Amino acid sequence: MSVEVLASWSEGSAKDAVIDFVVESARHGSSGFIPTVERIAAFDNDGTLWVEQPMPVQAPFLLEKLVAQVRADPSLADEQPYSGIVNHDEEFLRGLAQQVPDAVLAFLKGVGAAWEGTTPDEYETEVREYLATHTHERFGRPYTDLVYIPMMELFELLRTHDWRVYICSGGGRDFMRVIAEDTWGIGKENVIGSAPEFVYKEGKLVRENSMRGNLALGAGKPEHLFARTGRLPRFAAGNGDVDIEMLEVADFGLVVVHDDKEREYAYTEAAEQILDLGPDHGWTMASMRDDWVTVFDQGGMT
Amino acid sequence: MSVEVLASWSEGSAKDAVIDFVVESARHGSSGFIPTVERIAAFDNDGTLWVEQPMPVQAPFLLEKLVAQVRADPSLADEQPYSGIVNHDEEFLRGLAQQVPDAVLAFLKGVGAAWEGTTPDEYETEVREYLATHTHERFGRPYTDLVYIPMMELFELLRTHDWRVYICSGGGRDFMRVIAEDTWGIGKENVIGSAPEFVYKEGKLVRENSMRGNLALGAGKPEHLFARTGRLPRFAAGNGDVDIEMLEVADFGLVVVHDDKEREYAYTEAAEQILDLGPDHGWTMASMRDDWVTVFDQGGMT
């Protein structure tokens, strides 16, 4: 008797390549065998595990928080990043979207100040509240419903072959950890992301207005993965140019290609290089349109 | 049929307290039940899992490296930390042992410079070579033979009750990771320690001469554990004053008391506070002399 795997993937070379690599990695005597301790798989989050259009899920959460800060203290509206946000300053917002350093740094400064002095539990409560009360502007569903079912099946395939699955995203570590266990079935400890510093004083952890190391983007991805696990991943999946380095270090690279404007989105922005480099690197290019039978869970469009 | 656990522990209140806590943590309906996701146990290393006298295992490894640096470049002998080491400067060495900031910073600067530009594999090879060719000055056995068997049995008890075991030590992360899998049966990714920065460039990770965040000592222990796991440990074990904060945040604290000069060492230095505070905090004080039948593996003295 055989067990069906990757049921939401269309028959074809992408599905075959993924299954072949994972099954061989666990077959003793295979040329593709990988010792169990080395079976570390790393996944980007936004655009790889769930919808990142029209903007990454965390962005409206952060923007809403900064707007609330200005409401509580109107004098903030005179300075960045608050003035750019409340005045819908197109140049500032475009700078943020295009990751212009000045804009990003001003934004992170605002984010750092917003939660300075709070505990991890307080932040988790805010994220849960946000996710429970907001829906995606196009799909009208909670964000956690917009996780790609084919990727959840891939987690399961990896786990049943003794892989440890890590998330490695430039997004906020503590934001992702809130959904890790319920939505992904992954322990909080397997989530790597950009993060603030916390200090332990008087019996509790309190958030500081400073970042913990570099952002988990680009070269930061293998750097964070090594720091966390002591190894580099043998399997890696991403969808954007900031995932290139993480795929470079892996034996198997999977690229999610956003070419399905009917069921999700079709775009190449911030993915031009990975789409160009992928085939030359031998990475498996998974077309959302052609390789996935189902994108989202039953409740929505499939 | 029952399974014997903690076989190297003497019958008594310490053994009873540990077994009771762990068994109840996994028994549904028990007042001591802990959800599986929260079952995180954290252990200090030097003096908690293996011998730390006359000095922590990593110290002679680092000192030998710095001496070799001076041999390769004699001009280094004019400056700290090299001059203090090669001239056996008692004031400097005492400052190092007592963790006087100036001495420690000079020492870390030397350590940082010694491996600057190397890859993780190069460092791992050096550590393996060192451990394979050096023995403990009193016991005449390789350092990895000087792991406490009662603590290895405790790892096993925790694992069979679905706890994830983390090591959280002020010692070097990458040094400990070399022995984690073979000696402790713990994944490299479950080892937290003080660590240098690595940067990813031209397809490989290269070590920089800078530290990654704070040292995993004192308040740094809960800080590192939260950053790594997204939680604080529910079980924690240590033996020194730098472990107090880690035990404070846990439900169950275990303190290894070094009172066995026959089989190991008897000392209270750098443990005065934890020995004093422990009973008031309800921590379980495990006397090496009275609570452990066996200290080391068969080959040596038991």
Side-chain angles (χ1 to χ4, degrees):
Chain A
M1 193 183 126
S2 61
V3 175
E4 188 181 12
V5 296
L6 302 190
S8 301
W9 290 62
S10 311
E11 298 305 323
S13 59
K15 178 173 183 170
D16 287 349
V18 171
I19 293 176
D20 183 62
F21 176 80
V22 177
V23 169
E24 292 303 305
S25 75
R27 192 166 68 80
H28 284 267
S30 168
S31 63
F33 179 76
I34 296 174
T36 314
V37 291
E38 295 179 22
R39 289 184 209 153
I40 290 179
F43 288 77
D44 170 54
N45 177 32
D46 296 309
T48 298
L49 300 180
W50 70 358
V51 176
E52 67 174 347
Q53 293 289 343
M55 60 176 125
V57 176
Q58 208 179 343
F61 167 73
L62 297 175
L63 291 171
E64 191 170 292
K65 179 77 174 183
L66 297 190
V67 169
Q69 298 281 106
V70 178
R71 208 170 293 132
D73 176 5
S75 73
L76 290 172
D78 298 335
E79 48 184 294
Q80 294 292 29
Y82 313 98
S83 71
I85 292 164
V86 297
N87 300 321
H88 305 284
D89 175 342
E90 281 193 23
E91 191 184 333
F92 178 79
L93 294 174
R94 195 167 50 243
L96 208 52
Q98 295 173 351
Q99 306 196 20
V100 172
D102 280 357
V104 172
L105 287 175
F107 184 66
L108 289 178
K109 192 164 148 268
V111 168
W115 280 284
E116 188 176 358
T118 61
T119 66
D121 284 348
E122 288 165 351
Y123 183 77
E124 176 155 346
T125 300
E126 279 186 59
V127 174
R128 285 194 187 280
E129 169 76 11
Y130 181 85
L131 291 172
T133 54
H134 289 71
T135 55
H136 187 275
E137 62 175 69
R138 171 175 159 197
F139 298 108
R141 303 179 66 184
Y143 293 108
T144 48
D145 279 10
L146 301 180
V147 165
Y148 308 135
I149 294 302
M151 299 304 274
M152 297 300 103
E153 293 170 354
L154 175 51
F155 283 3
E156 187 59 19
L157 178 69
L158 287 162
R159 283 192 290 248
T160 56
H161 291 79
D162 283 332
W163 285 75
R164 281 103 70 211
V165 174
Y166 282 82
I167 310 302
C168 185
S169 164
R173 178 193 72 189
D174 298 336
F175 186 92
M176 294 186 288
R177 281 181 174 171
V178 175
I179 66 166
E181 288 165 352
D182 295 342
T183 303
W184 297 328
I186 285 178
K188 286 186 175 190
E189 58 258 58
N190 284 26
V191 175
I192 300 167
S194 301
E197 288 285 354
F198 282 86
V199 291
Y200 177 77
K201 47 186 176 190
E202 295 169 16
K204 61 182 182 181
L205 289 165
V206 178
R207 186 162 160 168
E208 300 217 297
N209 185 357
S210 62
M211 291 293 296
R212 184 176 178 83
N214 59 1
L215 299 178
L217 286 174
K221 296 203 176 203
E223 289 163 8
H224 278 251
L225 281 157
F226 173 75
R228 182 68 54 88
T229 69
R231 294 196 157 85
L232 291 173
R234 304 291 295 260
F235 181 106
N239 76 294
D241 292 343
V242 293
D243 300 315
I244 289 172
E245 287 86 348
M246 181 167 76
L247 268 67
E248 270 178 2
V249 302
D251 298 355
F252 190 95
L254 175 68
V255 179
V256 174
V257 181
H258 291 272
D259 55 4
D260 191 338
K261 69 172 194 271
E262 304 300 324
R263 298 187 300 175
E264 205 242 14
Y265 291 92
Y267 60 99
T268 58
E269 291 78 18
E272 293 88 350
Q273 293 179 59
I274 197 169
L275 294 172
D276 184 45
L277 289 170
D280 286 345
H281 276 73
W283 296 338
T284 294
M285 311 301 282
S287 156
M288 188 170 279
R289 185 188 57 213
D290 301 330
D291 291 312
W292 289 1
V293 179
T294 304
V295 176
F296 303 123
D297 196 8
Q298 303 296 341
M301 54 201 67
T302 54
Chain B
M1 192 184 125
S2 62
V3 175
E4 189 182 10
V5 297
L6 302 191
S8 301
W9 291 62
S10 312
E11 297 307 322
S13 60
K15 179 173 181 170
D16 288 347
V18 171
I19 293 176
D20 182 62
F21 177 79
V22 177
V23 170
E24 292 303 304
S25 76
R27 192 167 67 80
H28 284 267
S30 168
S31 62
F33 179 75
I34 296 174
T36 314
V37 291
E38 295 180 22
R39 288 184 210 153
I40 290 180
F43 287 77
D44 169 53
N45 177 31
D46 295 309
T48 299
L49 300 180
W50 70 359
V51 177
E52 67 174 346
Q53 293 290 343
M55 59 177 125
V57 176
Q58 207 179 344
F61 168 74
L62 297 175
L63 291 171
E64 192 170 290
K65 180 75 174 185
L66 297 190
V67 169
Q69 299 280 107
V70 177
R71 208 170 293 132
D73 177 4
S75 73
L76 289 174
D78 299 335
E79 48 183 295
Q80 295 291 29
Y82 314 98
S83 70
I85 293 165
V86 298
N87 300 321
H88 305 287
D89 175 342
E90 282 192 26
E91 189 185 333
F92 178 79
L93 295 175
R94 195 168 49 243
L96 209 51
Q98 295 174 349
Q99 307 198 18
V100 172
D102 279 357
V104 172
L105 287 175
F107 184 66
L108 289 177
K109 192 164 148 267
V111 168
W115 281 284
E116 188 176 356
T118 62
T119 66
D121 284 349
E122 288 165 352
Y123 183 78
E124 176 153 347
T125 300
E126 279 186 59
V127 175
R128 284 194 186 280
E129 170 76 9
Y130 182 85
L131 291 172
T133 55
H134 290 70
T135 55
H136 188 275
E137 62 175 71
R138 170 175 161 197
F139 299 107
R141 303 178 66 184
Y143 293 108
T144 48
D145 279 10
L146 301 179
V147 165
Y148 308 135
I149 295 303
M151 299 304 274
M152 297 300 103
E153 293 171 354
L154 176 51
F155 283 3
E156 187 60 18
L157 178 69
L158 287 162
R159 282 191 291 247
T160 55
H161 290 80
D162 283 332
W163 285 75
R164 281 103 70 210
V165 174
Y166 282 82
I167 311 302
C168 185
S169 164
R173 178 193 72 191
D174 298 336
F175 185 92
M176 294 186 287
R177 281 180 174 172
V178 175
I179 67 165
E181 287 163 353
D182 295 343
T183 302
W184 297 328
I186 286 178
K188 286 186 176 190
E189 59 258 56
N190 284 26
V191 176
I192 299 168
S194 301
E197 288 283 355
F198 282 86
V199 290
Y200 178 78
K201 46 186 178 193
E202 292 168 20
K204 62 182 180 180
L205 288 164
V206 178
R207 187 163 159 168
E208 300 218 296
N209 184 357
S210 61
M211 291 294 295
R212 184 174 179 83
N214 58 0
L215 299 178
L217 286 173
K221 295 203 177 202
E223 289 164 8
H224 277 250
L225 281 157
F226 173 75
R228 183 67 55 87
T229 70
R231 294 197 158 83
L232 290 173
R234 304 292 295 259
F235 181 107
N239 75 296
D241 292 343
V242 293
D243 301 316
I244 289 173
E245 287 85 349
M246 180 167 75
L247 268 67
E248 271 178 1
V249 302
D251 298 355
F252 190 95
L254 176 68
V255 179
V256 175
V257 180
H258 291 272
D259 55 5
D260 191 338
K261 68 172 193 270
E262 304 300 323
R263 300 186 299 176
E264 205 242 14
Y265 292 92
Y267 60 99
T268 57
E269 291 79 19
E272 293 89 350
Q273 293 180 57
I274 197 170
L275 294 172
D276 183 44
L277 288 171
D280 286 344
H281 276 73
W283 296 338
T284 294
M285 312 301 283
S287 155
M288 188 170 278
R289 185 188 58 212
D290 302 330
D291 291 311
W292 290 1
V293 178
T294 305
V295 175
F296 303 124
D297 197 8
Q298 304 296 341
M301 52 201 68
T302 54

